Amino acid sequence: AQSVTQLDSQVPVFEEAPVELRCNYSSSVSVYLFWYVQYPNQGLQLLLKYLSGSTLVESINGFEAEFNKSQTSFHLRKPSVHISDTAEYFCAVSDPMNRDDKIIFGKGTRLHILP
Amino acid sequence: ETGVTQTPRHLVMGMTNKKSLKCEQHLGHNAMYWYKQSAKKPLELMFVYSLEERVENNSVPSRFSPECPNSSHLFLHLHTLQPEDSALYLCASSQDSRGPGELFFGEGSRLTVL
């Protein structure tokens, strides 16, 4: 079964500074990868996803993530964060070879934006 | 209304109480889910329903009882809960229970068991 590791439980970063949130998944022949974001007092919402094709995927609010098969990683990056990016970010994975496979979530990384 | 709506947003109950959480989706999706979110733990999938039929039950204690009367509504009936059951319970829906479909989450019901 797939598993997801988010090593950082919290990441503090100054406003307008770059940020990287790390995500590693257990090795598999193929994977679907997701980043979900949970703003305070809200449910999770999809930020971006990798299913196939280009290994670099982008969100509408400036985040991007790169699928790196050799390192089994899907790190999330943003070149300049804003106070509104304060949230918890969840990496998730599923197995496209097993259509009964459900999405597995990491423990989440809380992003703190410092003024 | 649009999206996934959960009620109540907050619930406090004693260990002998019986209560229910409600979820409603207005997206025309065929699959609905209950997740448990506890601090410092990954999201735990509890139940999956596809077209009102339960397709997965991840070894959840019987004190949690789901009900899916139609594809738009999902309930989680609670009885004789334990303090460790205190958590945020998230409902989600997707177009299909299979494949890489996006999950759409409600805002959650924050449960405190005294």
Side-chain angles (χ1 to χ4, degrees):
Chain A
Q2 291 282 2
S3 66
V4 179
T5 302
Q6 292 181 251
L7 288 173
D8 304 308
S9 59
Q10 294 190 66
V11 173
V13 62
F14 286 102
E15 196 169 11
E16 298 183 8
V19 68
E20 177 179 86
L21 306 183
R22 296 180 293 169
C23 173
N24 289 88
Y25 59 93
S26 59
S27 180
S28 178
V29 174
S30 58
V31 288
Y32 292 141
L33 293 158
F34 309 82
W35 275 100
Y36 279 80
V37 59
Q38 185 176 29
Y39 297 106
N41 301 312
Q42 294 187 27
L44 280 72
Q45 52 188 284
L46 182 67
L47 188 61
L48 47 77
K49 63 184 176 184
Y50 168 79
L51 303 182
S52 64
S54 173
T55 57
L56 185 67
V57 290
E58 299 176 351
S59 73
I60 58 172
N61 58 350
F63 282 94
E64 65 178 31
E66 186 160 19
F67 168 53
N68 188 320
K69 189 173 183 177
S70 62
Q71 297 187 9
T72 60
S73 69
F74 191 55
H75 301 328
L76 183 69
R77 302 184 183 94
K78 188 169 184 178
S80 175
V81 295
H82 188 266
I83 195 75
S84 60
D85 294 322
T86 298
E88 189 152 19
Y89 293 79
F90 294 88
C91 184
V93 63
S94 68
D95 183 353
M97 301 306 292
N98 181 358
R99 286 181 59 81
D100 290 325
D101 196 39
K102 297 300 179 284
I103 293 177
I104 304 299
F105 288 88
K107 291 186 179 181
T109 298
R110 192 171 296 276
L111 180 60
H112 290 285
I113 309 299
L114 307 171
Chain B
E1 284 196 56
T2 58
V4 180
T5 305
Q6 289 187 243
T7 55
R9 293 292 309 277
H10 300 273
L11 179 63
V12 179
M13 59 188 288
M15 292 195 292
T16 57
N17 291 158
K18 287 186 181 181
K19 297 285 185 184
S20 296
L21 306 181
K22 178 183 176 183
C23 176
E24 185 172 0
Q25 59 98 358
H26 308 271
L27 300 168
H29 288 166
N30 293 322
M32 296 187 77
Y33 310 75
W34 278 117
Y35 283 88
K36 177 182 178 183
Q37 185 178 30
S38 305
K40 301 191 189 323
K41 285 185 169 183
L43 250 65
E44 300 173 49
L45 178 61
M46 301 175 72
F47 300 103
V48 181
Y49 277 83
S50 177
L51 296 171
E52 302 134 51
E53 180 182 338
R54 190 190 306 182
V55 296
E56 188 154 338
N57 172 358
N58 279 355
S59 302
V60 178
S62 59
R63 56 186 184 269
F64 294 93
S65 174
E67 178 190 1
C68 187
N70 55 62
S71 60
S72 298
H73 293 85
L74 185 64
F75 295 88
L76 188 62
H77 303 300
L78 317 168
H79 61 99
T80 59
L81 294 191
Q82 304 298 311
E84 60 265 27
D85 297 322
S86 298
L88 182 68
Y89 288 85
L90 291 165
C91 175
S93 71
S94 66
Q95 185 59 51
D96 196 308
S97 65
R98 297 181 164 194
E102 177 182 350
L103 291 171
F104 290 78
F105 285 86
E107 294 183 323
S109 293
R110 173 77 56 189
L111 173 67
T112 303
V113 181
L114 301 176

